[in-house]
Amino acid sequence: MTIQEALEKLRSKELSVTELVQAYLKRIETLEPKLNAYLTITKDFALEKARELDKKGDFGAPLAGIPMNLKDVVCTQGIRTTACSKILENFVPPYDAVVWQRLKKADCVLLGKTGTDEFTMGSSNENSAFGPVRNPWNREYVPGGSSGGPAASVIADETIFSIGTDTGGSIRQPASLCSCVGLKVTYGRVSRWGVIPYASSLDTIGPLTKTVEDAAIVLSVIAGQSEEDSTTPAVPVPDYAKCLRKSLKGKTVGIPEEFFKKGVEPETEKAVRDGIEVLKKLGAKVEKLSMPLVKYSIPTYYFIAKSEASTNLARYDGIRFGHATDKPIEELEDLYAKSRAEGFGEEVKRAIMLGTYALSAGYYDAYYLKAAKVRALMKQEYEKAFQTCDALITPTSPFPAFGIGEKMDDPIAMYSADTLTTSINLAGVCAMSVPAGFSKNGLPIGMQIIGPQFGEEKVLHVGYAFEQATEWHKKRPKLN
Amino acid sequence: MLTKDQVRHIAKLARLDLNETEIEKFTKQLSAILEHAEMLKEVNTEGVEPIAQITGLTNIQAGDEPRESTKSEALLECSPQPKKDGMIKVKNIF
């Protein structure tokens, strides 16, 4: 069900919130043994909120009675939040993240917390300490990552929508691999306060939904300045759902050819080129352009992301919160080193190692600083593209879902899954993945629509027009 | 190429007690990643200012007003270590 459909049924009293929530809890119970999308199911909490809303009978709030879930990096007061890491296995936050405060105020009903790669580091969900989420279209395949739980739960209709995080593609790539809509906002559009960080200069928070309109509705609730996060500027928040129903005539979409090069599978390329034809028929002008720096986005990204991760993760020291070793220790330093070695998984250790190296004396200039300069040039490249284009169209992922286990022992092959998404985070711009087709073996393909900083309206506008003209977003996996 | 000793040194800096299998694996993998990153040298960054804040914000300050914190006990409860007099008790530092 979409937000719009559910709101109509709730507001017309065709359904009570309790009935709706019970139906979702039942579906979760049936599907979870197959999908493993949820880490924690907040059944009692959801039913209590549902009863409260039914009793109040007021459906004026923008998301009143809508069942949803949060990726398990969004802190929820009194509800375990793990980042899918052993180091936070028993962590119960004493406060709510700003994004959850806002959703709560809009009267959402939380169904539970969904799976991610550990500390959001990964493109397949296999780095979770609590077992990988399965792709609902084919359970031998990965759902993508790191927001694999959010994406799988949305398309399997185990929730109406979900909130994920995107540092290098972690909302868009799983949305692409599972066939849902995934919106990565401009850096600073949504407050990060209370969300467990990966790389603070790249992290963003956004919705995964079944339609573009739903993404617009959720964004209007969660966007905007918050005093807890000094990187959220006072850019006004429009009613994003109001900007959708306009013609594409007079709009220009840019096609950066570098996004269709090496490594992009022919089926993916064809689906996206067909998508561009759809936009052309809707009246958009199509312009080819070149963005040569995109090819450097993976190394630029990993130096910046892993360096920031290594400093962010320094807080896990076995003292203030999280896992502490129970082995005998001599000195404080042993407590740090042992607790961290026991609590972190392999990809997180690899990130800390790479980041520590890139920031260490003698290497900082060659790696971190070099990457920060390339990043400056990449931002300029995007600014130039948006001088003539309203939005850019590319594939989201170079390939559809891959098999579980297929890329686990080759970090560079795994990082290549993010080839087409990381430059967007580096430039701080916004982008959305929308369903755009299927491979011949039935795996979803996503199309990425990129907009300038704080240009979410443009991205949503193009996405909505595309969605109205195609049927891809209506397809659902067979799960029985 | 990184050596195993370099990787051991990085692990020490990162406060990670890695075993020999991990040291060996990371020596290979980190070397491969650094080799792949050599391509960044192709980009001319002479005279380019590195990015500090991607949407251009500078010096955002919070008002210097004291506020009551209601969370100190709850935050202290998160610690896995023994507590005494509202503080966390830790091992010797030296």
Side-chain angles (χ1 to χ4, degrees):
Chain A
M1 211 182 271
T2 67
I3 294 175
Q4 273 304 5
E5 288 162 1
L7 281 177
E8 275 169 35
K9 287 190 200 300
L10 292 171
R11 286 175 178 161
S12 68
K13 311 276 179 205
E14 189 186 327
L15 259 183
S16 71
V17 183
T18 306
E19 284 167 335
L20 181 63
V21 168
Q22 273 169 342
Y24 270 99
L25 288 169
K26 178 102 188 81
R27 192 164 165 86
I28 292 170
E29 201 184 309
T30 316
L31 292 178
E32 272 308 281
K34 294 177 182 170
L35 298 176
N36 194 35
Y38 279 82
L39 258 290
T40 304
I41 299 161
T42 50
K43 186 176 174 182
D44 295 342
F45 184 79
L47 287 170
E48 193 189 313
K49 176 84 178 173
R51 276 194 292 269
E52 187 191 303
L53 287 168
D54 281 330
K55 203 171 154 196
K56 203 167 70 172
D58 172 8
F59 294 94
L63 295 169
I66 299 297
M68 46 74 68
N69 69 48
L70 299 165
K71 184 175 177 176
D72 206 22
V73 288
V74 179
C75 282
T76 41
Q77 186 171 344
I79 299 165
R80 187 175 78 129
T81 303
T82 68
C84 284
S85 178
K86 280 214 161 95
I87 216 159
L88 287 176
E89 193 168 0
N90 301 308
F91 176 59
V92 179
Y95 51 76
D96 286 327
V98 168
V99 63
W100 173 226
Q101 290 172 20
R102 290 184 177 178
L103 289 162
K104 241 181 174 174
K105 212 174 142 210
D107 279 343
C108 281
V109 181
L110 182 70
L111 295 168
K113 309 291 292 285
T114 39
T116 165
D117 286 285
E118 183 177 2
F119 285 103
T120 77
M121 294 177 194
S123 310
S124 69
N125 221 273
E126 293 162 287
N127 296 326
S128 166
F130 307 115
V133 176
R134 306 269 165 168
N135 190 316
W137 295 91
N138 183 331
R139 282 175 287 156
E140 298 310 309
Y141 286 76
V142 304
S146 62
S147 309
S153 64
V154 166
I155 200 62
D157 204 21
E158 287 185 300
T159 181
I160 292 192
F161 77 93
S162 178
I163 295 293
T165 61
D166 190 317
T167 303
S170 278
I171 286 176
R172 291 159 287 156
Q173 186 256 12
S176 172
L177 269 48
C178 289
S179 199
C180 46
V181 173
L183 175 64
K184 179 251 175 257
V185 299
T186 304
Y187 181 76
R189 178 73 298 194
V190 176
S191 171
R192 292 176 291 114
W193 192 85
V195 176
I196 297 170
Y198 169 3
S200 303
S201 83
L202 303 166
D203 289 348
T204 58
I205 296 155
L208 290 100
T209 57
K210 296 176 186 113
T211 64
V212 173
E213 184 167 32
D214 278 6
I217 295 170
V218 177
L219 183 60
S220 293
V221 171
I222 62 175
Q225 197 175 25
S226 89
E227 65 172 30
E228 295 89 344
D229 178 355
S230 61
T231 61
T232 53
V235 176
V237 179
D239 182 348
Y240 287 105
K242 286 228 168 88
C243 64
L244 304 174
R245 292 173 180 81
K246 290 183 295 188
S247 160
L248 277 189
K249 286 204 178 71
K251 299 289 170 193
T252 305
V253 293
I255 316 300
E257 285 304 316
E258 285 79 3
F259 282 82
F260 293 82
K261 287 197 172 142
K262 205 179 136 223
V264 177
E265 284 192 4
E267 280 184 311
T268 298
E269 172 165 2
K270 183 170 185 311
V272 176
R273 295 227 188 255
D274 289 349
I276 294 164
E277 286 307 308
V278 171
L279 297 175
K280 224 188 231 175
K281 281 197 190 114
L282 292 168
K285 202 176 126 219
V286 174
E287 188 181 298
K288 274 193 186 172
L289 52 108
S290 173
M291 298 180 72
L293 289 174
V294 164
K295 96 178 219 218
Y296 302 102
S297 52
I298 290 291
T300 309
Y301 170 76
Y302 57 64
F303 283 130
I304 291 175
K306 310 297 174 190
S307 297
E308 292 182 11
S310 75
T311 57
N312 268 328
L313 293 168
R315 73 188 69 191
Y316 298 97
D317 55 6
I319 293 179
R320 286 162 297 174
F321 58 111
H323 169 79
T325 186
D326 45 24
K327 292 201 186 101
I329 47 156
E330 299 284 320
E331 301 185 343
L332 193 59
E333 201 169 310
D334 290 339
L335 172 66
Y336 299 155
K338 288 204 165 58
S339 301
R340 290 160 64 78
E342 290 168 8
F344 290 137
E346 185 174 316
E347 175 61 25
V348 174
K349 287 179 182 169
R350 190 156 43 231
I352 294 173
M353 293 291 286
L354 182 59
T356 304
Y357 180 68
L359 293 175
S360 63
Y363 299 101
Y364 175 82
D365 285 9
Y367 297 122
Y368 186 82
L369 196 65
K370 177 76 183 183
K373 288 178 180 175
V374 177
R375 187 178 180 189
L377 294 173
M378 235 172 238
K379 184 188 180 200
Q380 288 169 19
E381 197 168 88
Y382 273 99
E383 281 166 351
K384 194 171 158 238
F386 290 121
Q387 279 169 10
T388 52
C389 300
D390 294 285
L392 311 175
I393 306 293
T394 75
T396 307
S397 165
F399 34 73
F402 43 93
I404 289 178
E406 203 179 293
K407 296 186 199 290
M408 268 311 264
D409 277 326
D410 185 352
I412 293 175
M414 188 65 94
Y415 294 166
S416 75
D418 301 331
T419 310
L420 310 178
T421 46
T422 45
S423 65
I424 285 108
N425 300 70
L426 288 164
V429 297
C430 62
M432 178 168 68
S433 183
V434 292
F438 286 83
S439 70
K440 59 179 180 303
N441 49 6
L443 294 166
I445 296 170
M447 181 170 92
Q448 179 169 245
I449 306 163
I450 311 167
Q453 289 190 353
F454 300 101
E456 280 80 1
E457 284 171 285
K458 294 183 177 183
V459 164
L460 291 162
H461 174 207
V462 174
Y464 184 80
F466 178 77
E467 196 177 81
Q468 293 305 300
T470 53
E471 298 284 316
W472 305 116
H473 65 288
K474 292 184 181 157
K475 305 251 186 257
R476 293 287 178 272
K478 289 188 186 71
L479 283 157
N480 300 318
Chain B
M1 274 300 279
L2 291 173
T3 63
K4 280 207 251 179
D5 278 342
Q6 276 175 302
V7 173
R8 274 191 204 100
H9 177 64
I10 303 165
K12 186 163 171 47
L13 292 176
R15 305 290 186 269
L16 277 176
D17 188 16
L18 300 183
N19 61 38
E20 269 312 294
T21 323
E22 288 174 311
I23 296 282
E24 197 143 318
K25 191 168 192 179
F26 287 152
T27 304
K28 275 194 211 129
Q29 290 180 339
L30 296 181
S31 297
I33 292 169
L34 292 173
E35 197 181 314
H36 178 244
E38 283 293 299
M39 67 191 286
L40 282 184
K41 287 189 179 150
E42 296 163 16
V43 186
N44 181 1
T45 51
E46 217 181 298
V48 176
E49 276 293 308
I51 278 285
Q53 210 287 333
I54 200 69
T55 58
L57 297 173
T58 49
N59 299 333
I60 307 296
Q61 291 165 334
D64 187 16
E65 292 149 17
R67 269 181 299 182
E68 205 170 334
S69 167
T70 52
K71 298 279 184 207
S72 49
E73 267 178 41
L75 289 165
L76 201 63
E77 276 311 302
C78 293
S79 171
Q81 300 298 332
K83 285 130 221 157
K84 203 184 165 193
D85 302 333
M87 288 181 275
I88 298 169
K89 200 165 174 292
V90 296
K91 280 271 175 191
N92 297 350
I93 295 175
F94 303 107

